[in-house]
Amino acid sequence: MATRLVAVQIEAERPAELARFWASLLGWAAAEHVVHPPASDGSDLDLVFVAQRGPKTTKNRLHLDLASSSAEDQRAKVDTALALGARPVDIGQGEVPWVVLADPAGNEFCVLEPRPGYTTTESLAAIVVDSLDPLAQATFWTTHSGWRIAAREQVIVGLRAPTGRGPWLEFLRTEEPKQSPNRIRLALAGAPAGNSTDPEGNEFILLDQP
């Protein structure tokens, strides 16, 4: 049965509050625990917030990247995130042109400097997955998500939705294997409801939707 990528599921102690944070930051619409992108984004990928199963103890293996159109826009988005309750975090990034923050639940995310590859993504640039083998992961996910491989480098492989708009799904090389359950997971529709894992053990959700 063909499946398709429809959402990113994020655990939170207070799901409704975190949904409002992300809706305000992205400029999307919040409905209870779900945040929907505007039709202008050309994407139907929702952010869904659910009650957490336990405290966050390690860096997330999946994170979100925000796009910016200029240095001024990047600074404005960082300022907005901080005003909404985000905080700066150091994950060993060193001197880089992007800004690493954590949302009120401690989930890491990046506000990127302007990049040509993200001019058609609107506010959410990418969902980034740490991967031991980016190409193998991308190959698995292109089969299950309905998205195609649209960029391929040694350290990162990117998938795009069939519309060519909305965020990228990127697999970024890491040397660190998965050690604990993911608090951020991808959700697929078009299969019997349940849970599964990809080849590197990342949990994902199966939704019984047409």
Side-chain angles (χ1 to χ4, degrees):
M1 180 181 296
T3 54
R4 68 188 191 282
L5 181 61
V6 295
V8 178
Q9 187 184 83
I10 302 172
E11 290 186 3
E13 184 178 5
R14 299 178 178 86
E17 291 182 13
L18 197 61
R20 288 193 292 271
F21 167 88
W22 279 100
S24 297
L25 183 57
L26 294 172
W28 292 10
E32 295 295 330
H33 297 177
V34 181
V35 178
H36 305 282
S40 60
D41 278 23
S43 169
D44 58 359
L45 193 69
D46 293 333
L47 301 182
V48 179
F49 297 84
V50 299
Q52 66 184 30
R53 293 171 292 180
K56 183 176 184 292
T57 58
T58 61
K59 172 183 171 293
N60 287 335
R61 204 160 181 81
L62 283 74
H63 74 269
L64 304 180
D65 281 352
L66 275 61
S68 68
S69 58
S70 65
E72 293 75 15
D73 184 42
Q74 183 188 26
R75 287 194 294 270
K77 288 185 176 179
V78 170
D79 290 343
T80 297
L82 295 174
L84 290 169
R87 58 182 175 83
V89 292
D90 185 350
I91 57 173
Q93 67 267 24
E95 293 294 327
V96 293
W98 59 89
V99 179
V100 183
L101 303 172
D103 70 16
N107 299 305
E108 302 87 0
F109 67 96
C110 299
V111 181
L112 303 178
E113 76 285 2
R115 298 183 186 182
Y118 301 126
T119 56
T120 59
T121 63
E122 304 301 335
S123 55
L124 182 59
I127 304 119
V128 184
V129 185
D130 290 349
S131 306
L132 299 175
D133 187 335
L135 181 57
Q137 284 289 88
T139 300
F140 172 88
W141 279 102
T142 196
T143 300
H144 290 78
S145 67
W147 293 24
R148 63 182 178 86
I149 295 177
R152 177 177 171 182
E153 300 178 20
Q154 184 174 3
V155 299
I156 190 168
V157 181
L159 274 58
R160 280 321 288 276
T163 61
R165 298 189 63 84
W168 288 79
L169 175 58
E170 297 179 334
F171 298 91
L172 178 65
R173 185 178 300 281
T174 182
E175 301 301 325
E176 300 178 4
K178 182 177 181 292
Q179 297 179 345
S180 59
N182 290 336
R183 296 167 57 87
I184 301 178
R185 297 174 290 274
L186 302 177
L188 304 176
N195 300 311
S196 191
T197 59
D198 69 17
E200 292 191 3
N202 296 303
E203 301 87 357
F204 62 90
I205 312 301
L206 296 169
L207 304 175
D208 189 7
Q209 296 180 356

